[in-house]
Amino acid sequence: MRFVDEVRIRLEAGKGGQGCVSFRREKYVPRGGPDGGDGGKGGDIYLEASERKHTLLDFRYRHSFIAPPGKHGQGQNKHGKGGQDLILEVPVGTVVKTVDTGEVIADLSNPGQRWLAAGGGPGGKGNARFVTSAVRVPRFAEDGCEGERKELVLELKLLADVGLVGLPNAGKSTLIAAISAARPKIADYPFTTLVPNLGVVQYADSPPFVVADIPGLIEGAHQGVGLGTRFLRHIERTRVLLHVIDISRIPRAEPLLPFNQIENELACYSQEIVLKRRVIALNKTDLVADAGTIETIASAYRQTKHPVVVISALQREGLQDLQKLLVQILNSVE
């Protein structure tokens, strides 16, 4: 299934039905008077957060949505039926923005949450509504009003407990495949992961938690380099960040360089992300023969005051310790 996380849609709520011009005509009822009914209200358009949806693919090729109009009023004071509401299901975590300013006008972060995106037009009044002492036989009625028309931007921000961040080829995809049932594409060239992947991790008897594999970040990601801003927004809703670092490529003169590169991009993108808890996973220990080198690098990373775990996702070494640590931290984070 193709992952789509940003779309632009056009909505047109239903038009209200016309009021009716009618007069009561019955045998033995002189001067029956007006009896035109009102038109029905046009259908509304709602956006509803659904756990059945995981991508905005439904809106990729169909951009325009029109709700049904209200029915016209009829004689004998019969009011028109209202147009049926149109409910568009979107993934949980969808943010709605205006096209012009990018202002956030709705945040559908809870399953079942429903938001009125475009209101249907009210129906016109029938001539029975206009009877007064001065106007006993009104021969006019109102037309229904147009429904709201809007253009909106839908943006999906994944909801995950743990977000994997790191440079390209750090081994994030291999890690999420090793600890969950996710099966991302894995290869030994940069930018193998082009879209975020989600995996559910079950450790011992603890409640399962969701891990998001965010595509590799590069310098300038906060400015959109390498589609960085599209990837960074998926980190905003995670509770814990897991830095995955390729220990085999760490420069000895500056061991913290990969960590600092990612931290700089995160800080430039959002100060809120800076406040999130972190865990550092030094990956690919199977490519480093010298145990002393591994310990030296691990000691350097412990100076960051973040928990450090040494792992090999490919060999599945250290993963139990990593999962246990993540569970403990998630239990302590709101």
Side-chain angles (χ1 to χ4, degrees):
M1 180 176 63
R2 185 176 180 182
F3 187 87
V4 178
D5 59 359
E6 184 174 346
V7 293
R8 179 171 171 173
I9 61 173
R10 177 181 176 275
L11 305 179
E12 184 177 333
K15 179 181 178 180
Q18 296 179 354
C20 176
V21 176
S22 176
F23 297 92
R24 187 178 182 188
R25 295 179 177 86
E26 295 182 41
K27 193 175 182 180
Y28 308 121
V29 182
R31 303 190 186 93
D35 66 350
D38 301 339
K41 178 182 176 295
D44 298 326
I45 300 181
Y46 290 90
L47 298 181
E48 182 177 299
S50 172
E51 293 181 306
R52 297 186 299 176
K53 303 292 183 179
H54 304 287
T55 172
L56 295 171
L57 183 62
D58 292 349
F59 306 95
R60 181 71 173 181
Y61 303 106
R62 183 185 175 190
H63 306 283
S64 183
F65 298 88
I66 303 175
K71 300 296 183 181
H72 300 322
Q74 301 179 35
Q76 299 180 350
N77 289 310
K78 294 181 179 178
H79 300 318
K81 184 179 180 181
Q84 185 175 2
D85 293 338
L86 180 60
I87 301 175
L88 304 177
E89 291 187 343
V90 297
V92 177
T94 298
V95 173
V96 185
K97 296 183 176 181
T98 60
V99 173
D100 298 332
T101 64
E103 177 188 0
V104 176
I105 54 178
D107 187 348
L108 304 175
S109 56
N110 299 312
Q113 183 179 352
R114 184 178 291 186
W115 177 71
L116 177 62
K125 296 179 180 178
N127 67 337
R129 296 280 192 177
F130 297 100
V131 176
T132 65
S133 58
V135 182
R136 306 302 296 272
V137 187
R139 299 182 181 276
F140 57 89
E142 290 181 338
D143 193 5
C145 295
E146 297 286 345
E148 288 185 309
R149 298 182 181 183
K150 293 183 179 180
E151 287 195 26
L152 303 171
V153 174
L154 305 184
E155 184 180 284
L156 176 59
K157 296 181 180 180
L158 295 178
L159 295 176
D161 298 300
V162 179
L164 306 185
V165 296
L167 297 173
N169 273 24
K172 300 184 298 299
S173 297
T174 302
L175 176 57
I176 196 173
I179 62 177
S180 74
R183 292 296 175 263
K185 181 179 179 181
I186 300 174
D188 60 353
Y189 54 86
F191 300 106
T192 305
T193 304
L194 297 179
V195 297
N197 294 296
L198 289 179
V200 179
V201 180
Q202 177 70 64
Y203 174 75
D205 296 329
S206 303
F209 59 92
V210 178
V211 177
D213 169 21
I214 309 300
L217 303 175
I218 61 176
E219 186 176 356
H222 69 280
Q223 297 175 329
V225 176
L227 297 178
T229 53
R230 292 190 60 180
F231 299 152
L232 282 166
R233 69 163 172 256
H234 295 298
I235 304 174
E236 291 184 72
R237 296 179 187 261
T238 58
R239 299 164 60 196
V240 176
L241 295 183
L242 175 58
H243 274 269
V244 183
I245 296 173
D246 182 354
I247 195 172
S248 68
R249 297 185 180 182
I250 290 179
R252 295 195 176 187
E254 198 173 356
L256 296 181
L257 179 61
F259 175 80
N260 291 333
Q261 285 179 321
I262 297 300
E263 283 294 313
N264 179 64
E265 296 303 323
L266 297 178
C268 290
Y269 179 74
S270 170
Q271 287 299 311
E272 293 182 3
I273 295 180
V274 176
L275 302 177
K276 294 182 182 293
R277 294 283 296 275
R278 273 121 166 105
V279 174
I280 299 174
L282 298 177
N283 190 26
K284 300 189 180 183
T285 56
D286 53 291
L287 299 180
V288 181
D290 184 9
T293 300
I294 295 176
E295 179 56 32
T296 299
I297 295 174
S299 298
Y301 273 88
R302 293 190 185 101
Q303 302 302 314
T304 64
K305 306 301 181 181
H306 299 301
V308 177
V309 182
V310 178
I311 67 171
S312 170
L314 183 63
Q315 301 295 329
R316 298 178 182 265
E317 297 175 356
L319 300 186
Q320 291 292 318
D321 294 337
L322 175 61
Q323 293 176 73
K324 181 179 179 180
L325 176 60
L326 291 174
V327 168
Q328 293 173 347
I329 294 177
L330 288 172
N331 289 336
S332 66
V333 177
E334 294 183 359

